Amino acid sequence: MPVDYIPRTRELYNAYSPYRWVENHDTPPWTPLKQPLAESKLALIGSGGVLYRDQPRFHREDASYRRIPRDAVQADLGVWHFGYRTTDAEADHNCVFPLTPLRELAAAGVIGEFADPAYSFMGGVYSARKVREELAPQIADELKRAHVDVFFLVPA
Amino acid sequence: MVEAAGIPTLCMTSALDITRAVNPPRAVFVNFPLGHQTGKPHQPELQRSIVRDALGAFETIARPGTIIELPYVWDANDRRWEETDYTANFLPPRPVKEDADTVEAERRARFTASAGK
């Protein structure tokens, strides 16, 4: 059975009430794929707080993001996040930031290209406004300039 | 926002109720504990399989707001994690600022020291 995380989150964060969930009742925006996935350039973003080498860590309410080289390996990567159990992600970033699978799927031709860099932020940003008005437009801009065709989001 | 800017998006999730509320254009649900949206540690075949199946949703989802559920099971013999994941005392205590700063300084120093090698 899928876990009901909304009541559990309310309980964990009741000291910070009122915690208002983002709810979107309208039909989501929609852009059809321009070409098959096998011919598409795919970019990854993860909210698991992954950091590359000596990149500065995130802080609370931090809506900034880091560029993670596509070819980064486990020894290059750290995790800074206070909102989930990071033990497994620290041991293997691919649990929340699947660089290795995406490199392999690009090599196998399942996706046309894995865009370099990938993007990382720390999902514990309590201001939906910051994400909407600061983080998302910057990322959208970067993706446009990099001619990315499809965008893969992995929250953590 | 990215979708509205003309780039198709797909969102992984392990929190079905949250994703239903947020209502993204395309989503794929894997019923694993939070922090394992794309698999278990050190299981590259499982990770690749989950990501490959998830990406398939780019081509199969035709209606905005669809969430596809993948059939992966965390542990067929033990579902107790569902009782405890993300409940009280689940998260480790937050480190006091001085400790956090020390950990951060050590992490960054590791790479500063090895720079140029």
Side-chain angles (χ1 to χ4, degrees):
Chain A
M1 277 290 291
V3 174
D4 286 330
Y5 283 105
I6 289 178
R8 291 188 187 180
T9 305
R10 287 214 171 99
E11 210 153 286
L12 277 179
Y13 287 86
N14 63 5
Y16 301 89
S17 63
Y19 195 106
R20 284 188 310 150
W21 217 263
V22 172
E23 291 188 27
N24 296 310
H25 299 288
D26 298 336
T27 304
W30 185 259
T31 301
L33 260 68
K34 290 175 214 66
Q35 65 259 29
L37 199 59
E39 296 164 23
S40 297
K41 181 174 181 178
L42 177 142
L44 166 70
I45 190 166
S47 67
V50 168
L51 298 166
Y52 176 72
R53 297 183 71 88
D54 62 346
Q55 284 178 342
R57 77 166 195 214
F58 300 98
H59 55 82
R60 297 178 61 80
E61 284 300 297
D62 193 344
S64 67
Y65 63 94
R66 311 281 180 265
R67 295 184 188 89
I68 311 291
R70 175 185 61 195
D71 295 323
V73 295
Q74 182 63 31
D76 293 324
L77 299 168
V79 176
W80 196 89
H81 202 304
F82 58 83
Y84 73 102
R85 268 193 190 169
T86 54
T87 320
D88 284 347
E90 285 171 46
D92 181 358
H93 63 277
N94 293 301
C95 294
V96 293
F97 201 71
L99 291 175
T100 310
L102 288 171
R103 286 196 297 258
E104 291 168 350
L105 293 171
V110 175
I111 57 176
E113 185 185 345
F114 179 20
D116 189 28
Y119 303 93
S120 171
F121 69 109
M122 192 279 295
V125 185
Y126 300 130
S127 162
R129 183 193 57 78
K130 270 192 182 179
V131 174
R132 200 170 52 237
E133 295 176 8
E134 297 172 23
L135 178 62
Q138 289 176 46
I139 296 285
D141 220 50
E142 287 223 19
L143 299 177
K144 283 280 190 191
R145 274 185 280 129
H147 303 291
V148 164
D149 297 312
V150 293
F151 194 35
F152 185 44
L153 296 87
V154 183
Chain B
M1 182 156 311
V2 171
E3 185 91 22
I7 299 174
T9 62
L10 171 70
C11 187
M12 289 296 294
T13 172
S14 286
L16 193 56
D17 58 339
I18 294 175
T19 297
R20 282 189 179 132
V22 174
N23 195 19
R26 300 171 197 78
V28 172
F29 172 69
V30 175
N31 194 27
F32 279 8
L34 297 186
H36 308 86
Q37 275 75 347
T38 51
K40 301 182 181 188
H42 308 303
Q43 296 197 17
E45 282 171 27
L46 173 71
Q47 295 164 355
R48 188 170 53 243
S49 169
I50 290 176
V51 172
R52 189 192 53 229
D53 289 354
L55 294 180
F58 267 120
E59 293 181 334
T60 52
I61 293 180
R63 192 167 44 85
T66 302
I67 303 174
I68 290 184
E69 301 189 22
L70 296 183
Y72 295 93
V73 175
W74 181 257
D75 184 341
N77 300 312
D78 187 356
R79 293 188 168 269
R80 275 175 300 179
W81 71 267
E82 292 180 357
E83 309 294 321
T84 53
D85 197 42
Y86 221 61
T87 53
N89 304 318
F90 177 76
L91 293 174
R94 295 187 183 165
V96 294
K97 188 175 180 306
E98 293 70 29
D99 290 353
D101 286 350
T102 308
V103 171
E104 167 72 350
E106 284 169 5
R107 180 184 67 81
R108 296 185 68 183
R110 238 175 41 230
F111 295 111
T112 316
S114 65
K117 276 185 194 171

